[in-house]
Amino acid sequence: MNRDFAYGLLLQYVSNKNLIKHCLAVEAIMGQVAHSLNLQGADYDKSEWMIAGLVHDIDYDLTAHSPQQHSLKGAQILLDEGFSQDIVYAVEAHNQMHGKPLNTDMDIALYASDPLSGLIVASALISPEKKLKSIDSQFVLNRFGEKSFAKGANRSQIRECFQLGFTLEQFIEIGLAAMQDIDKTLGL
């Protein structure tokens, strides 16, 4: 599966520009996580991980009024379109509502990266410049500890990064660097 096809498919199903930016952010984080794990001796297909991040919310518009179906419909779309079983399952498992076990590092990374992107965006938006490059990982880490800040960014999901061998600070650094690399695309 190539990235252009995956992106085109995402655009067929998702109309909200902010949601598309969210998917691009998770794509970037997933690529950086795979790269970091590969530097530690793993042998992951970085492009496959990035595609999983890119399409993880492909059914969001379709399931807006039935969140219990979110990720199930997306997994079916991806299966029908010929995506790898690894991507299909990671997308299905990323919605904690379904209680699917996180069987692989890709599953864990997607599950943790999804809310991390939201925490990073919220952190950037409260900085005076409202730019990703104006914040650092310590700024995001401090926001992580504020329970009333970015309530939608599930902290327990983000903490699953521990299963990948990252500290919270390392995971935030990885995610922030990935998003800073595409800051113009994200408009931040």
Side-chain angles (χ1 to χ4, degrees):
M1 190 58 52
N2 73 46
R3 198 267 182 191
D4 289 339
F5 177 79
Y7 185 63
L9 193 64
L10 178 71
L11 295 179
Q12 284 179 31
Y13 283 93
V14 177
S15 59
N16 182 295
K17 288 182 172 136
N18 286 331
L19 184 57
I20 292 168
K21 288 177 184 180
H22 165 69
C23 291
L24 292 168
V26 177
E27 173 191 30
I29 295 170
M30 289 290 288
Q32 196 61 33
V33 170
H35 175 73
S36 296
L37 292 172
N38 287 344
L39 289 176
Q40 297 173 21
D43 186 25
Y44 294 122
D45 182 342
K46 179 180 171 182
S47 64
E48 183 178 49
W49 282 46
M50 292 178 76
I51 289 172
L54 181 63
V55 299
H56 80 283
D57 277 344
I58 196 164
D59 67 355
Y60 204 83
D61 287 352
L62 294 173
T63 61
H65 299 294
S66 55
Q68 68 280 5
Q69 291 297 307
H70 174 53
S71 80
L72 298 177
K73 285 189 178 188
Q76 188 60 54
I77 291 166
L78 300 175
L79 187 64
D80 293 346
E81 292 291 342
F83 284 74
S84 75
Q85 186 58 47
D86 290 341
I87 292 173
V88 170
Y89 186 81
V91 167
E92 188 174 2
H94 94 274
N95 183 350
Q96 68 179 0
M97 185 179 287
H98 304 305
K100 298 270 184 184
L102 304 174
N103 297 324
T104 67
D105 285 349
M106 183 195 295
D107 301 344
I108 296 164
L110 182 57
Y111 186 75
S113 297
D114 186 20
L116 177 63
S117 69
L119 179 68
I120 291 170
V121 167
S123 297
L125 290 175
I126 65 162
S127 72
E129 297 85 9
K130 297 188 182 337
K131 298 288 180 192
L132 288 164
K133 289 190 175 165
S134 68
I135 61 173
D136 60 18
S137 59
Q138 188 59 52
F139 186 81
V140 179
L141 190 60
N142 290 345
R143 305 296 76 78
F144 182 92
E146 296 173 12
K147 292 180 182 176
S148 63
F149 180 76
K151 290 181 184 180
N154 186 315
R155 300 329 195 246
S156 66
Q157 274 185 250
I158 296 170
R159 283 188 191 98
E160 290 297 315
C161 70
F162 300 149
Q163 290 191 57
L164 300 171
F166 298 122
T167 65
L168 185 57
E169 185 170 7
Q170 289 169 327
F171 190 56
I172 289 171
E173 284 173 8
I174 289 167
L176 179 58
M179 289 175 65
Q180 287 172 333
D181 284 347
I182 62 165
D183 62 333
K184 289 181 180 39
T185 301
L186 300 176
L188 290 172

